[in-house]
Amino acid sequence: MRDCFKEVIVASKWEGDTLAIYAVSDRLEEIQGELIIEVLDFQGNSVSLVEKEVNVAANTSTVLWKLNRESLLGGGSEKEMMLVVCLRQGDRVLDEKNAYFVYHKNLNLPEPHFSIQAGEENGEKFIQVSSDKLACNVMFYIPGESIFFSDNYIDIIPGRSYKIKVDTDLSPTQIQERIGVRYVR
């Protein structure tokens, strides 16, 4: 929910066989940045990477780039690939979103294996999560407990690690022993 209130977001929309990448900015000044679009297979391998310098006008929604489906796929299967769309300004990521070539129900999703480590830093509990394959709409839970996770229903991309805050009175050991995971199959 916290991402809903960002000053700047990127959004993608399929228009037939063309992917339109939008930026929406609530800032009162223009943004000069870089748009990065990476196509990944579900094992986390990079299939292609395209980058473009962009200007986002102040307080508006702007189409940053339009790309053809076939050029993005590069001969691969649309049911086994995804896109990561990122808008950067210098070293700072302004926003990043995942996009798919087909609806989730039509994806050939592999069976992921998760690594989940619970910990605590400065009194805040967290889980560090990674997966060997793409896992879509991952939901974390602890049976019988009402717990808040800072990120839930997220895509876990292989090769990346996600640190998710956990608001609970349980110890890291109890979290580690009891945590459950659900995801789209």
Side-chain angles (χ1 to χ4, degrees):
M1 187 68 178
R2 62 189 159 80
D3 288 346
C4 294
F5 300 104
K6 284 184 174 181
E7 280 188 312
V8 180
I9 65 164
V10 289
S12 58
K13 179 182 177 188
W14 284 105
E15 298 169 350
D17 282 337
T18 302
L19 181 68
I21 307 293
Y22 293 82
V24 180
S25 175
D26 288 339
R27 289 189 181 172
L28 299 179
E29 68 277 343
E30 179 181 78
I31 298 167
Q32 295 179 348
E34 183 179 26
L35 181 66
I36 303 163
I37 301 168
E38 186 172 22
V39 179
L40 301 169
D41 67 17
F42 292 169
Q43 284 68 44
N45 300 309
S46 182
V47 175
S48 68
L49 178 73
V50 291
E51 301 176 9
K52 180 181 180 182
E53 295 296 319
V54 294
N55 291 321
V56 180
N59 204 29
T60 190
S61 172
T62 307
V63 176
L64 298 177
W65 208 353
K66 289 189 175 189
L67 298 129
N68 177 277
R69 179 187 303 266
E70 291 306 315
S71 68
L72 289 166
L73 283 170
S77 170
E78 64 185 11
K79 293 181 177 186
E80 297 173 352
M81 291 199 199
M82 66 176 296
L83 301 115
V84 179
V85 179
C86 179
L87 181 61
R88 298 181 70 95
Q89 187 176 39
D91 292 336
R92 186 169 165 236
V93 173
L94 299 177
D95 195 28
E96 183 177 273
K97 295 283 184 351
N98 300 332
Y100 295 88
F101 293 93
V102 296
Y103 293 114
H104 279 80
K105 68 179 183 174
N106 297 323
L107 295 173
N108 292 335
L109 293 168
E111 185 68 31
H113 297 95
F114 296 95
S115 169
I116 303 175
Q117 299 297 317
E120 186 171 1
E121 288 176 351
N122 302 320
E124 289 192 347
K125 295 171 187 119
F126 65 89
I127 54 174
Q128 196 78 37
V129 183
S130 61
S131 175
D132 64 337
K133 296 181 178 67
L134 175 68
C136 289
N137 293 327
V138 177
M139 181 193 87
F140 304 99
Y141 67 97
I142 295 182
E145 299 288 337
S146 179
I147 293 178
F148 175 78
F149 293 89
S150 63
D151 288 302
N152 231 342
Y153 299 99
I154 63 170
D155 294 344
I156 304 292
I157 299 172
R160 295 186 180 191
S161 183
Y162 300 81
K163 188 174 185 177
I164 299 167
K165 292 180 185 175
V166 183
D167 187 9
T168 181
D169 291 332
L170 297 175
S171 71
T173 302
Q174 291 171 313
I175 295 169
Q176 185 79 38
E177 291 170 350
R178 298 175 57 192
I179 193 159
V181 179
R182 291 190 182 131
Y183 51 92
V184 173
R185 298 178 195 215

